[in-house]
Amino acid sequence: MAQLLAAEPSGVAGAVARAMERSAPGSGASWYGGDHADFRGGVFLREVIGVQVVIQEGAAAGPEAMAGLPPRPGGFTGRDRETADLLRALDPAGTRPAASAVLVASVSGLGGIGKTALAVETAHLARERGWFPGGILFIDLHGYDREPVTADRSLRTLLHALGTPPERMPTTTDERAALYRSTLAVRTRERGGVLVLADNASSADQVRPLLPGDSRHRVLVTSRDRLPQLGARLLPLDELGAEEAYELLDCALRIADPHDGRVGDDTGTSDRLAGLCGRLPLALQIAAALLAADPGKPVSELVAELAEAHDRLDHLDDGERSVRAAFELSYRRLPPEQARLLRLLAVAPGPEVSDEVVAALVGAGRPPVRDQHALARAHLVETGRTRGWWRLHDLVRVFGAGMAARAEGDAARARVLRHYLERARAADAHLKPHSEAAEETGPFRGRAEALAWFDAERAGLVAAARWAADRHLAADAVRLTGALCEYLDWRRCFDDAVAVCRAARAAAHQAGDEAAEAAAWNRMGTALRGSSRLREAYDAHRRARDLHHALGHDNGEAMAVSNLGNILGDVGQIDEAVEAFHLALGLFRRTGDRHSEAGVWNNLAIPLRKSGRVDEALDALRAALDLYRETGDRPREGRAWHNYAVALNARGRTAEAVTACLDSLDICEEFEDWHGAARTLYALGVVHETAGDAERARARMTQAAEAYERAGSPEEAEQARRAARLTGPAPTGTPTPAAPPARTAGSGPPGPRPPGAPGNAGP
């Protein structure tokens, strides 16, 4: 035992004295003749007076436990980039000077994301490279358990691992921290740097006492929270990529049985399994364990169980590991307001939500920014595609929705629907001509802002409109559908339009609202035609016509009849199409709907031209152009100019056709109608080809291909490129009809709109 010849100082000074008592020569105090300590060069936290320490010869050091690093994770795969980044941070021979070396690296991410596996794998790689000859210390801080490891306990554990016997263990946290740093300093000089792996920390306070005082050491921390307070190199982990998730599943099964090829035998189903697991490593490992426990079970059977489950997390449990339990550890640490926000975000529509939707969810005038960022630091919420947008991991969404009470979730959805309906109606007003609702005092200052808002919120709007299946939300959801259809058609989002209209139709039918049901059938038919599902579209418009006729709604019946005319023209029944359009014109004249009448004239011109009645087609298009100018619908006037150019070219009036194309192109570009611009550029190319100018024709068709790509129509873009390659001078006296590429899914805008929406320019 060491003998104190003077009163033993207490507190930190006592810890330093006791540390010096146990240290070897060169540890910060120089020893002479066995009874004299020279403390020059030592670091002290308090004044030390009159201390003399004598070491008893033959005193043995305590046993060390420096081999506590867990074994390498079996089946570790992926994370190549993250592993490389972490190794660069830990490299003791890095390019940064010692004074600015990165002492701490912090791996953070959602529970089950694979933080510990990455940290342990990287620590093994570092040891193999001989980077930390002083050894590797591992400690699990249990930061998310009900009783996390305190600094006092973690220091005691690490000191014991470093060889400090129980009888020499300081009694206070500060003393233990001082001894810990002193012991590491000795070890550095004797053996080299040490890596401390502190797993599962929940706060910076848990880690700070474990930081060495020497930059030759490194500390590697894992946490579900970002820990920027430590001045650490931050490495957030996301879910695995699709290929990495597939490899993890396959590797985990083959560890259990090298001949198990179920994952590789059905890659498509295995990819779906990975998606249902949110590509979360813990969920993937559990799924693999469930398959390994039942060797005869096809992957498709587990996929069906997960896909059909009311709560996927019920199935992601192998008896020892549970995704739900992993999330609960994080959830129960949240303050009440953050926990409520997580629950409400889980019932939000769409894959991402904006700040304005978050504010609606919580029922406040502004979003709870502090709580949002706190959840993001805890990796329970992720930032979206841009600032001010937020998303949840798929399985966190399932967890949060399961934690929300029914009444709480219904109230939040109702608030979001009201918010969306108000904004969507204001935005929709800017897409319609001469709308009194489109006031500059509203939330949007013009058409461009309205379209930008629709574009940003589209996924959420569509998801919210589909809430029409919920009786408590149906009324507002059906109204929201009505405010979306003009935009969805303009952006050619036909599949989305079909989905929301189908939900609105079912809700209206259940409520016995025949007028709303008829309008929904008509809107759905328009969207189905845009998707080239002509048989379904015809049936939908026929149902709409019959319902409107029974109700005595002439305007609605006219819309449906005109839309039936479009489909009849599409399938080559020209005479029947012309008859339908004339019937619709009579009904619209009776109701005085001049704008929808313009749409019918525009659409009537198509079958007239196709049947060789070009002069009648030109007369119809002049009537459409006059009415569009009268009603102030510039975007559809631009589409009518396109059709006028096509008819002029068919008549052989190529110079006038070029002028009409340019007028159409100006309007399309003014209103960012990229698909309309693409069709007009293609038509312009055909006009030049008719005139024998192959070079200009090829240039315009190439521009059309680029515009089709911009409009999200790659098939039409390829058709335009193919036409450009084949373009050559036309034989004299044989004009080529100007037409866009062959009709594909959604090419050419559909016909007149359902009640309350303007007619359109037609294909």
Side-chain angles (χ1 to χ4, degrees):
M1 287 288 294
Q3 297 178 353
L4 300 183
L5 301 184
E8 181 178 6
S10 61
V12 176
V16 173
R18 290 191 292 274
M20 293 302 179
E21 174 185 327
R22 290 188 293 274
S23 62
S27 63
S30 301
W31 301 91
Y32 299 97
D35 63 352
H36 176 242
D38 181 359
F39 286 93
R40 287 175 297 181
V43 179
F44 302 94
L45 302 182
R46 298 180 187 168
E47 184 179 10
V48 180
I49 302 174
V51 178
Q52 183 178 19
V53 180
V54 176
I55 299 295
Q56 179 178 338
E57 291 188 18
E64 294 184 359
M66 296 294 290
L69 186 62
R72 298 179 89 146
F76 183 82
T77 186
R79 304 296 193 199
D80 294 339
R81 178 185 59 81
E82 293 89 346
T83 302
D85 288 346
L86 200 50
L87 284 170
R88 278 192 292 272
L90 297 179
D91 188 353
T95 57
R96 296 166 65 92
S100 59
V102 178
L103 178 65
V104 184
S106 176
V107 180
S108 62
L110 180 65
I113 205 73
K115 303 178 293 295
T116 300
L118 173 63
V120 170
E121 173 70 14
T122 306
H124 277 281
L125 291 174
R127 183 169 65 181
E128 289 173 1
R129 298 181 185 196
W131 284 357
F132 299 102
I136 298 178
L137 290 166
F138 177 90
I139 183 168
D140 185 350
L141 297 176
H142 294 278
Y144 298 89
D145 289 0
R146 294 192 182 278
E147 295 184 7
V149 175
T150 63
D152 187 62
R153 288 174 56 200
S154 60
L155 286 168
R156 180 183 182 89
T157 299
L158 292 177
L159 283 169
H160 178 72
L162 287 165
T164 303
E167 64 271 16
R168 296 186 181 178
M169 189 69 64
T171 57
T172 69
T173 301
D174 286 345
E175 290 173 336
R176 289 179 181 177
L179 179 57
Y180 167 72
R181 287 191 291 272
S182 298
T183 306
L184 284 180
V186 172
R187 195 170 193 89
T188 304
R189 286 188 289 273
E190 290 183 342
R191 306 185 188 184
V194 171
L195 172 63
V196 180
L197 201 171
D199 188 37
N200 207 16
S202 60
S203 69
D205 289 340
Q206 270 193 304
V207 179
R208 281 197 190 94
L210 313 185
L211 302 184
D214 192 313
S215 63
R216 285 170 289 186
H217 302 298
R218 294 288 187 274
V219 177
L220 175 54
V221 183
T222 72
S223 177
R224 299 184 184 197
D225 294 83
R226 294 175 186 267
L227 300 176
Q229 305 91 338
L230 294 172
R233 174 71 53 80
L234 301 179
L235 184 67
L237 284 191
D238 207 343
E239 62 262 29
L240 293 172
E243 184 64 28
E244 294 172 328
Y246 167 83
E247 289 176 1
L248 189 153
L249 282 170
D250 188 51
C251 185
L253 276 185
R254 291 185 185 277
I255 287 175
D257 179 358
H259 304 292
D260 193 336
R262 280 177 287 176
V263 169
D265 291 342
D266 190 352
T267 56
T269 304
S270 298
D271 287 342
R272 191 176 176 209
L273 174 59
L276 288 167
C277 291
R279 301 204 297 270
L280 186 76
L282 174 61
L284 293 165
Q285 292 282 5
I286 291 172
L290 294 173
L291 290 171
D294 188 352
K297 185 173 190 173
V299 176
S300 59
E301 186 176 324
L302 179 57
V303 165
E305 290 173 0
L306 291 173
E308 296 167 7
H310 176 71
D311 188 334
R312 260 182 285 167
L313 301 189
D314 289 341
H315 290 266
L316 292 174
D317 186 330
D318 63 5
E320 181 177 322
R321 296 168 297 182
S322 164
V323 174
R324 187 190 306 282
F327 291 167
E328 283 176 346
L329 289 176
S330 297
Y331 177 78
R332 71 189 183 200
R333 287 179 52 85
L334 298 175
E337 286 306 308
Q338 292 177 25
R340 174 177 182 260
L341 176 58
L342 180 66
R343 295 192 300 271
L344 298 183
L345 287 171
V347 301
E352 294 187 1
V353 291
S354 60
D355 277 340
E356 68 177 56
V357 175
V358 175
L361 277 168
V362 300
R366 60 183 60 188
V369 175
R370 292 176 65 89
D371 291 335
Q372 289 166 253
H373 286 285
L375 289 177
R377 287 193 299 272
H379 291 282
L380 289 167
V381 171
E382 303 168 16
T383 54
R385 58 185 178 271
T386 187
R387 284 178 62 86
W389 286 79
W390 309 88
R391 62 181 292 268
L392 297 182
H393 185 278
D394 286 348
L395 296 183
V396 175
R397 180 184 291 274
V398 173
F399 172 81
M403 299 299 292
R406 176 64 185 268
E408 180 181 50
D410 284 349
R413 283 190 289 263
R415 289 192 294 269
V416 169
L417 261 178
R418 287 194 295 271
H419 166 79
Y420 266 157
L421 181 58
E422 177 184 350
R423 301 275 287 186
R425 281 175 165 171
D428 184 46
H430 285 282
L431 306 189
K432 294 177 179 175
H434 292 320
S435 173
E436 296 179 0
E439 299 289 343
E440 289 190 3
T441 55
F444 307 107
R445 289 174 294 181
R447 179 186 178 89
E449 278 193 12
L451 278 172
W453 181 81
F454 270 134
D455 288 342
E457 295 283 1
R458 189 186 91 201
L461 287 163
V462 169
R466 296 180 73 174
W467 288 344
D470 188 327
R471 181 176 297 180
H472 302 287
L473 305 173
D476 278 347
V478 170
R479 295 186 189 102
L480 179 60
T481 295
L484 290 180
C485 283
E486 175 76 6
Y487 161 75
L488 292 174
D489 178 67
W490 187 257
R491 286 297 194 228
R492 304 176 58 76
C493 301
F494 300 123
D495 289 343
D496 284 344
V498 169
V500 300
C501 289
R502 181 172 284 121
R505 182 205 59 76
H509 180 76
Q510 186 177 25
D513 188 340
E514 291 185 332
E517 183 181 357
W521 273 119
N522 213 11
R523 293 183 182 116
M524 189 164 70
T526 299
L528 287 165
R529 177 178 178 247
S531 297
S532 292
R533 296 159 63 178
L534 298 184
R535 169 53 63 187
E536 295 173 79
Y538 186 86
D539 290 342
H541 288 311
R542 191 166 49 81
R543 285 173 176 264
R545 179 201 63 190
D546 293 346
L547 280 169
H548 280 302
H549 181 77
L551 292 167
H553 291 174
D554 287 348
N555 216 63
E557 183 180 355
M559 294 282 184
V561 169
S562 181
N563 285 332
L564 286 169
N566 284 329
I567 298 171
L568 290 167
D570 290 339
V571 299
Q573 296 184 29
I574 301 300
D575 292 341
E576 292 86 345
V578 171
E579 182 182 353
F581 286 131
H582 280 297
L583 176 59
L585 281 172
L587 289 168
F588 279 133
R589 284 171 178 160
R590 184 188 306 172
T591 64
D593 187 345
R594 304 276 284 169
H595 183 260
S596 293
E597 183 185 343
V600 179
W601 281 117
N602 188 37
N603 291 327
L604 172 60
I606 308 300
L608 289 173
R609 175 177 57 78
K610 288 180 178 179
S611 62
R613 298 157 65 179
V614 179
D615 288 337
E616 290 180 65
L618 289 169
D619 289 341
L621 287 164
R622 280 190 286 269
L625 287 166
D626 288 343
L627 285 170
Y628 278 136
R629 282 192 289 265
E630 177 188 319
T631 56
D633 192 341
R634 286 272 291 165
R636 286 188 177 78
E637 180 188 344
R639 294 183 177 184
W641 276 116
H642 163 89
N643 287 346
Y644 194 53
V646 173
L648 287 168
N649 192 55
R651 196 71 179 86
R653 296 158 61 179
T654 54
E656 294 173 81
V658 168
T659 300
C661 280
L662 294 176
D663 287 342
S664 173
L665 194 59
D666 286 344
I667 295 173
C668 288
E669 290 177 347
E670 177 186 351
F671 290 94
E672 297 184 4
D673 179 6
W674 305 124
H675 193 270
R679 294 171 64 245
T680 301
L681 284 166
Y682 186 89
L684 190 54
V686 175
V687 172
H688 285 310
E689 185 180 22
T690 302
D693 192 340
E695 184 176 350
R696 284 189 179 180
R698 281 192 294 272
R700 289 301 191 178
M701 289 177 178
T702 300
Q703 287 180 303
E706 294 171 354
Y708 275 128
E709 290 285 2
R710 185 174 188 179
S713 301
E715 292 182 5
E716 290 170 298
E718 181 54 35
Q719 290 171 348
R721 280 190 288 268
R722 188 182 306 118
R725 290 193 295 269
L726 297 174
T727 295
T732 304
T734 54
T736 303
R743 182 179 179 85
T744 61
S747 67
R753 292 294 181 276
N760 82 62

